Amino acid sequence: MDIGFDECLPPIYSLLRAGTEGQISVEVLSQLDAHRVRGIALTPTQGLARGMLVEDTGGPLQAPVGKEILARMFDVFGNAIDRQPAPAGVQWRSVHQVPPSLARRSTKSELFETGIKVIDVLMPLERGGKAGLFGGAGVGKTVLLTEMIHNMVGQQEGVSIFCGIGERCREGEELYRDMKAAGVLPNMVMVFGQMNEPPGARFRVGHAALTMAEYFRDDEHRDVLLLIDNIFRFIQAGMEVSGLMGQMPSRLGYQPTMGTELSQLEERIANTDSGAITSIQAVYVPADDFTDPAAVHTFSHLSASIVLSRKRASEGLYPAIDPLQSNSKMATPGVIGERHYALAQEIRRTLAQYADLKDIIAMLGMEQLSPDDRNVVARARRLERFLTQPFFTTEQFTGLKGKLVSLKDALDGCERILRDEFKDVPESALYMIGAIAEARAKTKLDPEPKPQAEVEHAASAHES
């Protein structure tokens, strides 16, 4: 909408209020001439009429910061939406902050341990880095995010911030309930720009969440885990805003300023001398086209990609992460060390060989494989089961006590499986355990463990 001013114009990003009770909020995005500005509505515009008076608030959109915002849920304006009184004693800061300067950034690459075996071993995350989480509905995406929050809060005394961009209200309510039940809410903040809200609100909710994250990083010197669901909807909201502002669309209808807008958000997620904001972002890829401009621009910011597989979820292999499709820029000898790198490569090679042999097993059975190939299959199946893990956040559903596994224990377990130390142990003994030592204990508890021949026969029958 265009707004006229008789005297000096409000600066870009100024928040204006209109309506009989100032209920309509508008953010200035451009100055058209000496007397007119163009802004985007952050609230519904019912009741707005030509000639209506507009008040300049004298500042930009602000977000609440402070210890008092923990365990609370907010909208883009910092209003509490969890049916509790507004938090007292909070500070208010502009959502438009500049990224940390290069002089303040930490130049060393550090691992961010999640306590989840398959992630720490095969696609290690970077402290202060950004990881993309690709997954459809029902494959365990929210459970994985919840577990990371639990491990971050419980083990590293950090703060978690969940930012829902274009979230359905059902998803937000379920997540809030799950977090409360899992006991991780006291060190967590939730910020939502719901799907039914105007594009301006969805476009700014990410900046509001980052302002809260920056407070805990810079003022409290704490590590922050920032979860964003879904980063594509931020780009989509920017596309709608761009259209409403009258800008000429770029390729495939995207805004011409998409790269800049995404960078302004992503570059604030950084590892500095005072703390780190580590981000895990759900990424929707339009029509599975990885050459789509939205996907290309998002990938350029990510340091790791975690792909969830519906096939693995259907086999009960949780977390249902596909180890062959997922990758990380941290998985280099210089960062994770020679031993970890060599082990990760051997695990990938073993799992890839098993994937190639599955067709032969399905058609001809295990008996037709060479002894070497049979050993590869045995190792791969044990690795697949060892890389499953019971989660703390699913204890109430599975009845299995959650496990947090250190990187050292995870690497030791994988190395011993690859050396065939557990060739005589049934595959089932490696399923849903923590450290590898639990497999032997589990075997002793089982009164009649199946012989290896029976296990292999069952495996070939399952594949066929």
Side-chain angles (χ1 to χ4, degrees):
M1 63 190 73
D2 293 357
I3 303 156
F5 285 85
D6 293 333
E7 298 174 12
C8 59
L9 292 179
I12 302 293
Y13 298 144
S14 292
L15 190 65
L16 314 178
R17 295 204 181 273
T20 52
E21 298 174 4
Q23 75 274 20
I24 299 169
S25 299
V26 180
E27 186 179 71
V28 176
L29 286 187
S30 69
Q31 297 175 336
L32 300 177
D33 54 35
H35 296 287
R36 286 187 309 140
V37 297
R38 182 167 288 173
I40 191 76
L42 303 181
T43 53
T45 54
Q46 284 90 346
L48 194 67
R50 188 185 292 271
M52 190 175 273
L53 283 174
V54 176
E55 178 196 357
D56 180 6
T57 62
L61 178 67
Q62 294 186 316
V65 297
K67 290 180 180 176
E68 295 79 11
I69 68 171
L70 289 170
R72 302 301 303 272
M73 188 191 285
F74 299 96
D75 65 8
V76 69
F77 297 102
N79 301 320
I81 54 173
D82 52 7
R83 298 183 184 176
Q84 294 181 42
V90 297
Q91 303 173 42
W92 291 83
R93 290 186 185 172
S94 167
V95 303
H96 303 283
Q97 303 287 343
V98 294
S101 64
L102 284 173
R104 280 191 58 214
R105 289 176 185 252
S106 174
T107 53
K108 62 180 179 181
S109 293
E110 292 181 69
L111 288 183
F112 175 80
E113 276 197 45
T114 62
I116 299 167
K117 289 181 281 193
V118 65
I119 293 177
D120 290 343
V121 171
L122 292 174
M123 58 227 63
L125 304 188
E126 181 181 10
R127 182 173 175 266
K130 296 172 272 283
L133 183 59
F134 305 84
V139 293
K141 182 173 61 179
T142 304
V143 173
L144 192 57
L145 291 180
T146 313
E147 185 71 5
M148 285 185 183
I149 293 168
H150 180 280
N151 293 354
M152 172 78 174
V153 172
Q155 303 300 317
Q156 304 188 28
E157 298 179 2
V159 176
S160 297
I161 296 180
F162 185 92
C163 174
I165 304 176
E167 281 285 280
R168 300 167 185 85
C169 59
R170 170 188 62 79
E171 293 172 334
E173 189 273 335
E174 283 174 3
L175 189 73
Y176 183 81
R177 197 159 16 94
D178 291 346
M179 298 297 171
K180 200 168 185 179
V184 299
L185 208 54
N187 279 297
M188 189 174 177
V189 185
M190 290 183 174
V191 194
F192 284 98
Q194 292 174 47
M195 192 174 269
N196 62 324
E197 293 183 35
R202 287 181 271 125
F203 189 54
R204 288 290 175 233
V205 72
H207 298 87
L210 262 168
T211 303
M212 296 174 183
E214 285 165 343
Y215 164 81
F216 288 109
R217 179 190 68 190
D218 300 335
D219 295 38
E220 299 270 336
H221 303 295
R222 295 172 76 176
D223 280 358
V224 182
L225 181 62
L226 175 66
L227 305 157
I228 302 176
D229 189 6
N230 187 305
I231 201 69
F232 174 76
R233 292 185 192 138
F234 166 76
I235 294 171
Q236 205 170 32
M239 184 163 54
E240 293 176 54
V241 167
S242 175
L244 292 167
M245 292 294 291
Q247 293 177 345
M248 185 73 74
S250 180
R251 190 163 71 89
L252 298 181
Y254 288 106
Q255 63 272 38
T257 51
M258 176 172 65
T260 310
E261 290 165 2
L262 189 62
S263 298
Q264 284 173 345
L265 186 77
E266 296 278 10
E267 288 298 300
R268 287 169 66 179
I269 303 169
N271 184 1
T272 68
D273 47 14
S274 57
I277 299 175
T278 304
S279 174
I280 298 167
Q281 307 171 10
V283 185
Y284 167 69
V285 180
D288 292 333
D289 178 14
F290 285 85
T291 63
D292 188 274
V296 170
H297 280 80
T298 306
F299 278 129
S300 66
H301 293 280
L302 299 177
S303 55
S305 300
I306 301 168
V307 179
L308 293 174
S309 156
R310 191 171 299 282
K311 187 173 183 297
R312 292 179 73 81
S314 67
E315 292 171 4
L317 299 173
Y318 287 105
I321 295 168
D322 188 327
L324 298 177
Q325 284 191 285
S326 307
N327 61 73
S328 169
K329 291 178 183 174
M330 297 291 283
T332 60
V335 177
I336 60 176
E338 291 287 350
R339 175 181 175 246
H340 184 168
Y341 177 75
L343 266 174
Q345 290 296 94
E346 194 176 349
I347 291 165
R348 284 181 186 277
R349 194 159 48 246
T350 305
L351 294 174
Q353 283 176 280
Y354 176 42
D356 290 340
L357 291 169
K358 278 183 177 177
D359 287 342
I360 298 170
I361 297 168
M363 288 186 290
L364 305 174
M366 286 278 285
E367 294 77 19
Q368 301 302 314
L369 296 180
S370 68
D372 286 347
D373 283 345
R374 244 185 261 189
N375 287 337
V376 166
V377 171
R379 282 182 215 123
R381 290 180 64 85
R382 279 163 178 75
L383 281 171
E384 279 186 337
R385 277 142 190 79
F386 177 63
L387 292 175
T388 62
Q389 191 167 337
F391 283 176
F392 292 97
T393 47
T394 58
E395 279 181 12
Q396 54 188 323
F397 308 113
T398 62
L400 297 170
K401 188 169 171 53
K403 306 281 184 184
L404 186 97
V405 185
S406 68
L407 177 60
K408 180 182 177 298
D409 286 346
L411 289 173
D412 285 347
C414 291
E415 189 173 40
R416 291 175 68 186
I417 289 170
L418 289 168
R419 281 197 212 132
D420 289 337
E421 282 187 36
F422 288 83
K423 196 171 183 179
D424 58 328
V425 173
E427 291 172 4
S428 57
L430 293 159
Y431 179 68
M432 285 294 171
I433 60 170
I436 195 74
E438 294 176 30
R440 296 282 185 200
K442 204 170 173 183
T443 310
K444 286 172 187 170
L445 291 172
D446 187 358
E448 291 181 20
K450 290 181 182 178
Q452 182 65 18
E454 278 187 44
V455 174
E456 290 185 0
H457 179 71
S460 62
H462 172 73
E463 293 296 342
S464 57

